[in-house]
Amino acid sequence: MRFHDRREAGQELAARLMERASGGDLPDPFLLALPRGGVPVAAQVARALGVPLDVLVVRKIGLPGRPETGIGAIVGDDPPLFDRRALDMLGLDEDRLLPDVARERTELHRRALLYRGDRPPPRVEGRTVILVDDGLATGATARAALRHLRRLRTARLVLAVPVSAPETAAEMESEADDVVCPHRPPDFRAVGHWYEDFEQVSDDEVIEVLREHDASPRTSPRKG
């Protein structure tokens, strides 16, 4: 099973979440997307559920010399969350990664300002928060985001992704109250392998999706 693009993946994810909403499992929901790839996926979910959509900017901390390999992540001004096992295996300490953390935090703030402007952070205390991304490989960014949201005293945390490495989805079940993931292929390889069109999402696309959602009429989620 491969998705044509993030839009189709979002539609399938929306169908799974609508089942939970109809059963009363998503009271007072609020949707947060991990940009950039999670935004077009989340837009389909927000439209189906008729709920607000916003973004939570998280930045991956990559392995020095191999930035595509995530060994940690940061959210807002929170301390970085590292994969301790990976650091120990690679013989790395956090001090060596301070320049990488500083660089990624600068980019995080740039994107947050670009996507959200001067709007205050969404109030999520006491609400059901659905966190959406386009897929999970190591889960570093999702884990950092979930722990950040947990500290904000959300009532319920739901992680929703179209596809994930099976072991990562299983690990996330200890971080979120519910993990909604339709596809957990044993031969996972990478997130992009499960999309026919996995072009990088641009900043402009993120801004446009958020603008369109803000302008669209919303309906209340269906009740069971």
Side-chain angles (χ1 to χ4, degrees):
M1 168 65 193
R2 297 180 73 199
F3 301 108
H4 174 65
D5 55 16
R6 291 180 178 89
R7 179 185 178 90
E8 182 182 76
Q11 290 169 347
E12 177 162 346
L13 196 59
R16 302 299 179 96
L17 286 163
M18 285 296 291
E19 294 174 2
R20 282 170 164 76
S22 297
D25 291 338
L26 301 176
D28 193 22
F30 190 92
L31 198 65
L32 284 174
L34 293 180
R36 293 180 284 198
V39 173
V41 178
Q44 300 301 314
V45 176
R47 186 173 295 115
L49 293 177
V51 299
L53 170 64
D54 209 328
V55 293
L56 178 63
V57 182
V58 183
R59 292 294 296 171
K60 178 175 67 177
I61 307 300
L63 181 65
R66 293 173 55 191
E68 71 284 355
T69 302
I71 54 174
I74 52 172
V75 186
D77 292 317
D78 291 358
L81 178 64
F82 288 108
D83 182 336
R84 297 302 318 175
R85 286 183 300 174
L87 292 186
D88 292 342
M89 287 176 59
L90 295 165
L92 290 172
D93 60 51
E94 295 184 17
D95 288 345
R96 181 179 170 186
L97 297 167
L98 288 176
D100 302 88
V101 172
R103 183 178 62 253
E104 294 301 338
R105 202 179 298 277
T106 297
E107 176 62 12
L108 183 153
H109 288 310
R110 181 195 75 81
R111 291 195 186 192
L113 181 62
L114 182 64
Y115 303 152
R116 307 193 69 260
D118 58 0
R119 288 184 292 122
R123 296 181 64 109
V124 297
E125 183 176 350
R127 302 192 69 173
T128 297
V129 174
I130 306 170
L131 183 69
V132 177
D133 203 357
D134 56 9
L136 296 178
T138 66
T141 54
R143 181 178 289 105
L146 289 167
R147 292 190 183 183
H148 171 81
L149 291 167
R150 189 73 76 184
R151 286 192 289 272
L152 297 180
R153 299 181 181 178
T154 53
R156 183 170 172 79
L157 270 178
V158 178
L159 177 62
V161 294
V163 62
S164 172
E167 62 276 11
T168 303
E171 289 170 3
M172 290 301 107
E173 290 172 358
S174 65
E175 303 284 352
D177 298 305
D178 190 9
V179 176
V180 180
C181 179
H183 299 289
R184 306 182 186 194
D187 55 339
F188 174 76
R189 304 186 197 176
V191 173
H193 179 74
W194 300 96
Y195 288 83
E196 295 172 8
D197 176 2
F198 198 64
E199 288 294 317
Q200 187 175 41
V201 177
S202 68
D203 286 338
D204 287 343
E205 288 177 87
V206 170
I207 294 167
E208 182 61 25
V209 168
L210 294 174
R211 183 182 296 123
E212 287 178 356
H213 185 76
D214 285 343
S216 65
R218 297 173 190 159
T219 57
S220 297
R222 291 182 295 176
K223 304 291 184 181

